[in-house]
Amino acid sequence: MRFLYQRERFLAALVRPLVWLIVFAAGFRAVLGISIIPPYETYITYEVYIVPGLIGMIQLFNGMQSSLSMVYDREMGSMRVLLTTPLPRWFLLVAKLTAGTAVSLLQVYTFLVIAWLFGIEFAPLGYVFILPALVVSGLMLGAVGMFISSTVKQLENFAGVMNFVIFPAFFLSSALYPLWHMREASVALYRISMANPFTHAVELVRFALYGKLAPVSLMVVLGCLAVFLVLAIWGYKPAQGMEMRARPAEA
């Protein structure tokens, strides 16, 4: 309901990927060639390549912004009241996570419509196959943000933490360029990018657009979702919160 009344948030979420798609892609097209790599069966333009990465960008920023609202709600908003109710903490957090993922789905499909208007098209079934991948990747990225929000107690500190997480995750991934390009420049950065969960979220979406499955990426995304969701639920335990608040008082 909050999202429906915040149209600026919806538009702001689309501006960033559209700038990359329309402006930056035009400049990188002549510089960065894309070879025939799975799931592609022919040469593609750079605009086509970065669409899954920009979808991941939308979900990544949405997950972090949703977690930012958790920091505020936990202290002064509705979540502060809900956390004192008999409702299980895991239910509240999963509901919040699901709502954030649903919002990101609306943003992603709106972005795909705009990309289609600019001539970047995919097979009709690709728009259907991508849905499960978007749900899983959105839940995983939201769980990462939720875990981070459970460790941050002040709203001012969360913005810095967001930048510390978002930019390395995005640029050290396959969102903007194939990893074989990075391996040619630095093997160490290539290995870091391969271990980056965001890389596997992007690849899961990329393969789904072409009706294919990336099994390794799916396992990594599901594993990270389980780990970060458990850590977030543990971080939002009432006893854990009281212990962390008690420590400064004792000091």
Side-chain angles (χ1 to χ4, degrees), residues 83-105:
L83 287 173
T84 62
T85 64
L87 292 171
R89 298 298 180 273
W90 67 265
F91 173 79
L92 293 174
L93 297 179
V94 170
K96 175 71 174 177
L97 189 60
T98 303
T101 303
V103 169
S104 72
L105 292 179

Side-chain angles (χ1 to χ4, degrees), residues 67 142-152 228-229 231-232 234-236:
S67 301
V144 173
M146 188 170 291
F147 165 66
I148 294 173
S149 71
S150 71
T151 64
V152 177
F228 284 109
L229 183 57
L231 290 174
W234 177 82
Y236 276 96

